[in-house]
Amino acid sequence: MAASEQPTVAMKRRHKAQYVPGQQAKRPRGGGGPRQLELGMQGILITCNMNERKCVGEAYSLLNEYGDLLYGPEKFTDQDGRLSGSEEEEEDDVEAALKKEVDQIRTSTEQKLRRFQSVESGANNVVFIRTLGVEPETLVHHILKDLHTTKKKKTRVILRMLPISGTCKAFVEDMKKYSQTFFEPWFKAPNKGTFQIVYKARNNSHMSREEVIKELAGIVGSLNPENKVDLNNPQYTIVVEIIKNVCCLSVVKDYVLFRKYNLQEVVKSNKEELVQQNLLSASQEEKLKEIKLAEEDSKEVKAEEKGQSEEEAKPNESDSQQA
């Protein structure tokens, strides 16, 4: 009997051991703020070439450099949230002391939140940097303006850097309601301007690009009928970036001048741009020549087939006449 009971005891112990790690693996909430992209966040959405870890490092370096120039060095008020020995002796009520300590720790945690903090974006090759006490559009525009002027390359893996000033649920009705007030600083009368809308969705299949652009353009028009669409060189570009069920919005200037806010393209000199344009035009000319040659070949083939069919039809006609 003892031998038969041993396997059952071992099985019970094994089952218990299997569930313990699962309980320990739970990630505690808080402790430095949200860890993923959420509604109500402001920040900077950054795309990169495969290496997200290096992208975050480059982003911190670049944002801290220009953040210090615009807003001054980041200051920390690190208060010690622990009670001293004399205070503990004087504190009679244990519950009050515990509550006081928890409140002090919470306050200290809030004060330690950084100006720039990377959070999970929810998409591959996309990094989201949450910002606090910073205007994302102003900061990113300042960075791109400086890079465009100096032509000095400061990043390797970062591609585009898009400011995000508002977030809402990625459903058409929620976006319409949110953008009604979000667009007012730029487009509500007496403010006006030419605009375009650029749209990108990641890990989301229930949104329609055409419907979103149509609805948002209608809202801009309702704020001021003098707002006009310009797809070549608009004053404002409305950026719509959807990741899963979160819609990120911003309104930016100089979108065309700053090469769609691409940090790799904006630092290229005029000579490099001309070379690229010449290469593109040359490749386009080659493609046009190939298309023309293909069209001519197809015409010749059709003509030959037509001639053959006419020749085959002639004997049949003579035979019919003899009959």
Side-chain angles (χ1 to χ4, degrees), residues 106-173:
R106 184 182 294 112
T107 303
S108 177
T109 301
E110 291 174 355
Q111 289 169 341
K112 287 179 182 178
L113 290 176
R114 302 298 303 267
R115 179 184 284 170
F116 305 110
Q117 181 62 53
S118 173
V119 299
E120 292 291 336
S121 68
N124 292 330
N125 300 323
V126 178
V127 171
F128 191 89
I129 306 294
R130 175 185 53 76
T131 58
L132 288 176
V134 171
E135 294 179 358
E137 282 112 342
T138 303
L139 177 60
V140 175
H141 189 275
H142 182 78
I143 293 172
L144 284 158
K145 185 178 180 181
D146 185 60
L147 296 179
H148 181 264
T149 303
T150 62
K151 300 299 180 183
K152 185 177 180 180
K153 187 174 181 178
K154 294 190 175 184
T155 62
R156 286 190 173 187
V157 299
I158 292 178
L159 297 179
R160 300 175 71 204
M161 182 176 277
L162 299 171
I164 302 299
S165 297
T167 50
C168 64
K169 292 181 180 179
F171 297 94
V172 174
E173 292 303 319

Side-chain angles (χ1 to χ4, degrees), residues 1 38 57 139 235 280 282 307:
M1 289 293 290
E38 295 179 354
L139 177 60
Q235 291 175 265
L280 286 171

Side-chain angles (χ1 to χ4, degrees), residues 9 14 19 29 37 39 41 68 245 253 268 270 281 305:
V9 173
R14 192 178 298 118
Y19 289 98
R29 295 182 65 85
L37 177 60
L39 302 179
M41 278 188 178
D68 290 349
N245 290 328
K253 295 180 179 180
K268 290 182 178 179
N270 294 329
S281 60
E305 291 177 350

Side-chain angles (χ1 to χ4, degrees), residues 253-270:
K253 295 180 179 180
D254 299 318
Y255 188 75
V256 176
L257 177 65
F258 293 158
R259 312 287 289 178
K260 299 181 179 180
Y261 278 43
N262 189 312
L263 271 61
Q264 304 300 320
E265 296 294 327
V266 77
V267 296
K268 290 182 178 179
S269 63
N270 294 329

Side-chain angles (χ1 to χ4, degrees), residues 70-277:
L70 283 180
Y71 304 102
E74 192 171 7
K75 297 178 181 179
F76 301 98
T77 54
D78 187 6
Q79 295 180 353
D80 189 0
R82 297 179 181 178
L83 297 172
S84 64
S86 60
E87 287 176 340
E88 287 180 352
E89 292 174 1
E90 294 174 0
E91 189 67 65
D92 297 329
D93 190 346
V94 178
E95 291 184 3
L98 181 62
K99 185 179 183 298
K100 184 177 180 180
E101 187 172 357
V102 169
D103 291 340
Q104 287 177 334
I105 292 171
R106 184 182 294 112
T107 303
S108 177
T109 301
E110 291 174 355
Q111 289 169 341
K112 287 179 182 178
L113 290 176
R114 302 298 303 267
R115 179 184 284 170
F116 305 110
Q117 181 62 53
S118 173
V119 299
E120 292 291 336
S121 68
N124 292 330
N125 300 323
V126 178
V127 171
F128 191 89
I129 306 294
R130 175 185 53 76
T131 58
L132 288 176
V134 171
E135 294 179 358
E137 282 112 342
T138 303
L139 177 60
V140 175
H141 189 275
H142 182 78
I143 293 172
L144 284 158
K145 185 178 180 181
D146 185 60
L147 296 179
H148 181 264
T149 303
T150 62
K151 300 299 180 183
K152 185 177 180 180
K153 187 174 181 178
K154 294 190 175 184
T155 62
R156 286 190 173 187
V157 299
I158 292 178
L159 297 179
R160 300 175 71 204
M161 182 176 277
L162 299 171
I164 302 299
S165 297
T167 50
C168 64
K169 292 181 180 179
F171 297 94
V172 174
E173 292 303 319
D174 294 277
M175 293 170 65
K176 287 168 62 178
K177 184 178 179 180
Y178 183 81
S179 60
Q180 191 75 38
T181 54
F182 179 79
F183 290 152
E184 287 182 358
W186 299 276
F187 301 112
K188 186 176 181 180
N191 298 323
K192 63 179 180 179
T194 57
F195 71 97
Q196 68 172 345
I197 299 174
V198 293
Y199 173 94
K200 177 70 176 178
R202 298 177 176 88
N203 298 335
N204 180 296
S205 58
H206 69 267
M207 298 297 294
S208 167
R209 178 180 182 274
E210 290 75 15
E211 183 182 6
V212 170
I213 292 176
K214 180 182 176 182
E215 295 293 345
L216 296 185
I219 290 171
V220 174
S222 67
L223 292 173
N224 188 341
E226 295 187 23
N227 294 321
K228 302 297 181 182
V229 174
D230 183 354
L231 301 180
N232 296 319
N233 191 20
Q235 291 175 265
Y236 302 107
T237 295
I238 298 171
V239 177
V240 183
E241 291 278 340
I242 294 176
I243 302 178
K244 293 184 177 180
N245 290 328
V246 179
C247 172
C248 303
L249 288 172
S250 64
V251 179
V252 301
K253 295 180 179 180
D254 299 318
Y255 188 75
V256 176
L257 177 65
F258 293 158
R259 312 287 289 178
K260 299 181 179 180
Y261 278 43
N262 189 312
L263 271 61
Q264 304 300 320
E265 296 294 327
V266 77
V267 296
K268 290 182 178 179
S269 63
N270 294 329
K271 289 182 179 179
E272 288 178 322
E273 290 177 358
L274 286 172
V275 169
Q276 277 193 341
Q277 289 176 1

